[in-house]
Amino acid sequence: MDWWDVLLVVVRVVGVFALLMVVTVLLVWIERKLVADMQNRLGPMRAGPHGVLQTVADGLKLFFKEQITPAKSEFLIYMLAPALSVITAFLMFLVVPFARPFDITLGGEVRSFTFQAMDLNISVLYVLAISSIAVYAVVLAGWSSGSKYPLLGGVRATAQAISYEAAMGLSLVALIMFIAVQNRGGDVMSMASIVDFQAGTYGATDGFLSFLNPIITHIPKWFILPQVIPFVIFATAGVAETNRAPFDLVEAEQELVAGFHTEYSGMRFAMFFLAEYINMFTMSALMVTLFFGGWGGPFLDTIALNVGPWLATVVSFGYFMAKVFVFLFLFIWIRASFPRLRYDQLMDLGWKRLIPGALLWLIASSLALAIRQFGLPWT
Amino acid sequence: MMGIIGDLLKGMGVTGRQMIATIFGDGMITTEYPKEFREKPDRFHGRHVLNRYEDGMEKCIGCELCAGACPARCIYVRGKENPADAPVSPGERFGFVYEINMLRCIFCALCVEACPTEAITMTHLFEMSTTNREDAIYTKTELLINEDGSANHMFPDDRLANLSELLQADGWMRATAPQGRVEYEGIPGWTPSAGVGLRPPEVGQSGDAAARDFTLPDDATSPEVQPDEEE
Ligand code: SF4
Ligand code: SF4
């Protein structure tokens, strides 16, 4: 560890911050445009070509707005809650690798420059932990506002978080178990190695399916194929975790004004807004990393070998963003299509479908993995 | 379970189709107002004008029927005896003070229905935002049309004022048999109005342009029912 390492860490963190800010600005615009298209409207058109700068304009407006503090609020918590929500949103993205690492020589030493602010060997647990803390921001914001609608929003957030985080965690347990059996001895919970595990395609089989080999050898080894059910559960819980429609009971406009952030204005409101979009991006990035091969894609090694590692990095970043955008598009599409769930339906889906589904899958897949490893008990 | 998923996909199909229609087809139903103006329906209820006859006389006779009919109670009229040497309107009296509070008006056009002389009609003008409440009270200065038939705009220099719509006060409304002839019973017609002259009478309340070409009955020879050739 020398000064170059410190510098690299700083560069990475600043880079991730910049990436998230740019993505948020674009994402808000893209969402407004797409929802407008789905509703036969124009959407923002004025600020910049086709309204691309609308988010910047809105941000500036919010920046100069008065920050109202309700008389009955718990001021310290009221003020800290938005900060907590933004901080957790940024923290969550830190472990996501978003491009192919390459080697650079600095200070006479070859170092690997990774596009990931930090690679924990418990990244998956870290993500779950941070996403639980993020719920506190919502709950505390609702409670400390000293007003009824936000409080209701906060209470709903608690119940929703408990129900969906359980399902999310369980779905990841099955995934991690699968990875651990496949890649014995690897860093099974580090995001960087999870991406590496998914590199390449399936090998040719010599079983009765061998006639499919021309196809099989072109299917990437992404975890989505063996783990469809955990993915569906993770994605559903992810939408619920980010409090987006149709699970946005926390800020249900029609019932709760604006839910937990009713009493917030100016920059404090903007922080919640920012956090929501960062979370949406992070959730999509996590789905891509855990189930769709992360930044991996075809020809990366060829490019790195023939043209240069830098181009492979750029291309891999393109792959990553393209995949993430597919999920962001889904997020937006779902929001534009479905009405909000009723509260009992939300609980129904969480406790009666997702959690039992995740548990069943966990049991079934552990049995399958055990049988594959040790054979049937009576043989 | 499968049914639910099918329903969800069906819902997403609807929005997806609309999105494709909007981006690639002609699904877009909004326009970029005020850059683009949309053709308004003929009978659009915009703000009011007070009309004049062709010779410049005001149509309003200060009878206050409009004020009585107004459900929002937003019209104030005070009539005044016409000066004998320079009459303002053909009747005994004329509308001396005439005010409409546009903040209260619900644009129901009951005033237009009530008016016996078609003095008050509605136009296609709708850009009426103001920055204070006084400006929302339209007085006779703004309401009365000019001698050439163009409407007065409260803020002619405003960015939102669509001046092309000021040129013709359309005076488009019910007007049953102003000619007072039995053949026209139940058929909307017009009184001559400044800037428009006498419009051809119409059959029915709606219908296409061809249907509006109402041919007069053979005995309809009195000059005031002929369509004005100059328009
Ligand atoms: S349109 Fe209706 S509400 Fe408005 S002034 Fe006329 S009668 Fe009153
Ligand atoms: S506008 Fe018509 S109804 Fe109203 S006072 Fe004048 S003549 Fe009478």
Side-chain angles (χ1 to χ4, degrees), chain B residues 54-78:
Chain B
E54 276 172 291
D55 58 6
M57 291 270 241
E58 291 176 18
K59 284 187 178 179
C60 178
I61 51 171
C63 67
E64 298 182 31
L65 283 176
C66 49
C70 177
R73 291 273 171 271
C74 62
I75 304 186
Y76 176 75
V77 188
R78 196 190 316 160

Side-chain angles (χ1 to χ4, degrees), chain A residues 152-235:
Chain A
L152 278 174
V155 170
R156 284 181 180 190
T158 334
Q160 185 172 333
I162 292 172
S163 344
Y164 282 83
E165 238 156 51
M168 193 182 212
L170 283 173
S171 71
L172 287 182
V173 171
L175 175 73
I176 296 299
M177 207 161 66
F178 175 79
I179 303 176
V181 171
Q182 300 285 310
N183 307 281
R184 194 102 26 112
D187 239 345
V188 292
M189 280 206 214
S190 130
M191 293 282 173
S193 33
I194 286 180
V195 172
D196 288 341
F197 294 152
Q198 299 179 72
T201 57
Y202 285 100
T205 78
D206 47 1
F208 67 103
L209 282 174
S210 55
F211 70 97
L212 285 175
N213 274 346
I215 303 173
I216 288 177
T217 49
H218 284 100
I219 299 177
K221 232 168 47 184
W222 295 346
F223 293 144
I224 176 69
L225 274 182
Q227 302 284 335
V228 180
I229 292 190
F231 169 71
V232 171
I233 293 170
F234 183 82

Side-chain angles (χ1 to χ4, degrees), chain B residues 45-46 48 66-67 69-75 98-102 104-113 120 122:
Chain B
H45 284 187
H48 314 72
C66 49
C70 177
R73 291 273 171 271
C74 62
I75 304 186
Y98 199 105
E99 288 180 359
I100 300 182
N101 185 347
M102 292 296 177
R104 302 197 54 161
C105 177
I106 55 171
F107 297 92
C108 60
L110 286 179
C111 48
V112 180
E113 298 267 349
I120 185 157
M122 293 187 125

Side-chain angles (χ1 to χ4, degrees), chain A residues 36-362:
Chain A
D37 284 337
M38 290 177 190
Q39 298 170 344
N40 306 107
R41 295 186 286 114
L42 279 159
M45 286 299 276
R46 290 307 175 79
H50 283 264
V52 117
L53 298 176
Q54 187 63 45
T55 325
V56 181
D58 288 348
L60 278 178
K61 185 200 79 172
L62 285 173
F63 192 77
F64 290 111
K65 283 258 171 169
E66 184 188 356
Q67 307 198 344
I68 295 166
T69 311
K72 286 188 184 167
S73 64
E74 294 283 335
F75 182 69
L76 193 65
I77 297 174
Y78 174 80
M79 202 184 58
L80 289 179
L84 182 64
S85 82
V86 172
I87 291 171
T88 48
F90 277 116
L91 281 182
M92 185 127 80
F93 192 78
L94 290 187
V95 291
V96 178
F98 53 91
R100 191 178 190 273
F102 65 89
D103 293 336
I104 42 172
T105 315
L106 288 174
E109 204 181 311
V110 179
R111 296 159 205 269
S112 167
F113 188 86
T114 55
F115 289 86
Q116 177 185 18
M118 57 183 184
D119 187 25
L120 298 177
N121 55 359
I122 48 160
S123 291
V124 176
L125 293 182
Y126 170 84
V127 164
L128 288 175
I130 296 286
S131 82
S132 318
I133 296 178
V135 177
Y136 278 90
V138 174
V139 177
L140 289 179
W143 172 73
S144 67
S145 294
S147 158
K148 292 184 186 72
Y149 287 129
L151 182 63
L152 278 174
V155 170
R156 284 181 180 190
T158 334
Q160 185 172 333
I162 292 172
S163 344
Y164 282 83
E165 238 156 51
M168 193 182 212
L170 283 173
S171 71
L172 287 182
V173 171
L175 175 73
I176 296 299
M177 207 161 66
F178 175 79
I179 303 176
V181 171
Q182 300 285 310
N183 307 281
R184 194 102 26 112
D187 239 345
V188 292
M189 280 206 214
S190 130
M191 293 282 173
S193 33
I194 286 180
V195 172
D196 288 341
F197 294 152
Q198 299 179 72
T201 57
Y202 285 100
T205 78
D206 47 1
F208 67 103
L209 282 174
S210 55
F211 70 97
L212 285 175
N213 274 346
I215 303 173
I216 288 177
T217 49
H218 284 100
I219 299 177
K221 232 168 47 184
W222 295 346
F223 293 144
I224 176 69
L225 274 182
Q227 302 284 335
V228 180
I229 292 190
F231 169 71
V232 171
I233 293 170
F234 183 82
T236 315
V239 178
E241 277 290 299
T242 46
N243 294 329
R244 290 203 36 105
F247 301 109
D248 58 343
L249 280 97
V250 171
E251 45 188 292
E253 283 85 1
Q254 291 82 351
E255 310 149 32
L256 301 184
V257 190
F260 69 96
H261 60 59
T262 306
E263 301 290 346
Y264 284 87
S265 53
M267 261 334 260
R268 292 189 196 138
F269 165 73
M271 280 168 152
F272 280 122
F273 201 70
L274 179 68
E276 174 179 341
Y277 281 86
I278 295 178
N279 280 334
M280 192 172 144
F281 181 68
T282 312
M283 269 305 152
S284 309
L286 283 176
M287 289 181 215
V288 167
T289 309
L290 292 174
F291 294 96
F292 287 87
W295 46 258
F299 311 125
L300 281 183
D301 288 336
T302 330
I303 294 174
L305 219 59
N306 296 330
V307 190
W310 59 271
L311 189 65
T313 300
V314 173
V315 172
S316 69
F317 181 64
Y319 285 149
F320 177 79
M321 290 308 274
K323 289 178 195 171
V324 169
F325 185 78
V326 170
F327 289 104
L328 291 175
F329 180 73
L330 263 179
F331 264 96
I332 294 167
W333 195 359
I334 286 172
R335 174 184 157 191
S337 304
F338 302 139
R340 181 178 307 119
L341 264 71
R342 230 169 38 220
Y343 198 68
D344 58 322
Q345 292 169 331
L346 179 91
M347 287 295 141
D348 249 35
L349 183 65
W351 290 100
K352 292 193 191 159
R353 296 187 213 282
L354 293 187
I355 293 180
L359 278 172
L360 276 181
W361 176 263
L362 184 58

Side-chain angles (χ1 to χ4, degrees), chain B residues 92-206:
Chain B
E92 247 174 60
R93 309 201 305 160
F94 72 103
F96 174 54
V97 177
Y98 199 105
E99 288 180 359
I100 300 182
N101 185 347
M102 292 296 177
L103 288 175
R104 302 197 54 161
C105 177
I106 55 171
F107 297 92
C108 60
L110 286 179
C111 48
V112 180
E113 298 267 349
C115 182
T117 62
E118 291 169 13
I120 185 157
T121 57
M122 293 187 125
T123 63
H124 285 180
L125 298 167
F126 64 96
E127 287 122 337
M128 297 185 288
S129 356
T130 59
T131 46
N132 63 60
R133 295 184 192 192
E134 284 81 35
D135 284 348
I137 296 173
Y138 280 52
T139 61
K140 226 176 135 182
T141 331
E142 291 91 24
L143 288 170
L144 191 64
I145 64 171
N146 301 319
E147 302 262 337
D148 63 353
S150 64
N152 270 314
H153 199 283
M154 199 125 173
F155 310 100
D157 299 329
D158 194 275
R159 213 158 47 87
L160 289 179
N162 183 357
L163 293 178
S164 67
E165 290 198 330
L166 298 180
L167 292 181
Q168 196 192 70
D170 63 0
W172 178 275
M173 242 305 153
R174 160 227 73 109
T176 301
Q179 298 84 359
R181 297 174 61 101
V182 295
E183 305 88 70
Y184 288 89
E185 197 183 33
I187 296 170
W190 310 97
T191 48
S193 172
V196 182
L198 181 60
R199 296 155 206 252
E202 272 189 54
V203 187
Q205 292 275 319
S206 56

